[in-house]
Amino acid sequence: TKTQLFAHNIMQRESKRMDPNDLIGGTGTLGRISDALIGKGSKVGLFSVDKFQIALSGRPGVSDAPFIVNGNGVPDVYISEETKETVYSLHNETESDSGYFAETWSSTLLNSFGSNDILGVELLDKSTSVVFPLTRFAKQLEIVSRLIATRDARGVDTDMFYVETGGFDTHADVELNLQNRFIEVNDAFAA
């Protein structure tokens, strides 16, 4: 096998990619599913809670880059109005001698400002009547429920979310530790 079987970080990365022969390098399982859905006409939203995950990466140019949100929603970007004006003036309409990569980078930057603003405003209006447990994992599921409520405003028909919790790699008191981890996961899902 090409995959190291006993390095935890390698096993986690490979489980998110599920591409042992590296046929579609740099992509993840959910990203490839998103690519296929988009190919069938779906509009897909991709979200990771707390950090970037390779699992959501599709082929470049097919799926959009995933949104990375935290447990409270869209992290605020603190940019003064003067700086924002400067950024927009530097990344305005392209000229005939503008490079493709510079144009793509500028377009992506400005689109991300707009997308973050729109999603942030939409999430402010969304809440849940469900009381989630006070755990990190439950907080992730709570933001997922609020993101689902923004689906219509975002114009998508399918969403994919990546959340995770750790603590399953126990070396002592395995049964007790696993039981506690499963209770935390079950309580979060039950909410």
Side-chain angles (χ1 to χ4, degrees):
T1 179
K2 295 179 180 183
T3 303
Q4 296 178 11
L5 297 178
F6 298 104
H8 294 164
N9 61 327
I10 303 290
M11 288 189 292
Q12 287 181 353
R13 185 188 71 216
E14 291 302 313
S15 70
K16 295 170 188 173
R17 293 184 63 237
M18 301 277 277
D19 188 15
N21 294 316
D22 208 19
L23 298 175
I24 308 174
T27 64
T29 308
L30 295 174
R32 292 191 302 274
I33 292 170
S34 173
D35 292 346
L37 289 170
I38 289 169
K40 301 266 186 203
S42 291
K43 294 181 181 178
V44 180
L46 297 167
F47 292 90
S48 179
V49 181
D50 289 334
K51 60 185 176 180
F52 172 78
Q53 290 296 339
I54 190 70
L56 293 168
S57 294
R59 290 176 308 202
V62 180
S63 292
D64 290 334
F67 274 97
I68 302 170
V69 296
N70 63 28
N72 298 315
V74 179
D76 290 329
V77 177
Y78 298 103
I79 300 176
S80 71
E81 283 305 313
E82 181 182 353
T83 302
K84 199 174 232 184
E85 288 174 18
T86 301
V87 168
Y88 277 95
S89 71
L90 288 172
H91 299 278
N92 59 5
E93 288 187 35
T94 58
E95 303 292 330
S96 60
D97 62 345
S98 296
Y100 173 76
F101 293 109
E103 185 176 324
T104 301
W105 189 88
S106 291
S107 173
T108 301
L109 175 67
L110 297 182
N111 286 340
S112 70
F113 281 157
S115 297
N116 279 357
D117 289 345
I118 291 168
L119 185 59
V121 167
E122 286 296 321
L123 280 174
L124 285 176
D125 294 337
K126 305 299 181 217
S127 63
T128 177
S129 60
V130 174
V131 177
F132 283 84
L134 299 175
T135 63
R136 182 179 172 273
F137 185 62
K139 185 78 169 167
Q140 291 179 70
L141 295 182
E142 181 178 4
I143 194 63
V144 165
S145 72
R146 290 175 54 213
L147 287 165
I148 290 169
T150 69
R151 181 179 292 160
D152 290 340
R154 291 182 287 110
V156 299
D157 51 46
T158 304
D159 279 321
M160 294 187 183
F161 301 96
Y162 185 94
V163 297
E164 71 178 7
T165 188
F168 292 94
D169 182 21
T170 60
H171 296 273
D173 300 319
V174 175
E175 188 173 342
L176 176 63
N177 287 325
L178 283 177
Q179 182 179 9
N180 289 335
R181 299 303 300 140
F182 289 145
I183 288 170
E184 180 182 327
V185 170
N186 286 342
D187 287 350
F189 280 129

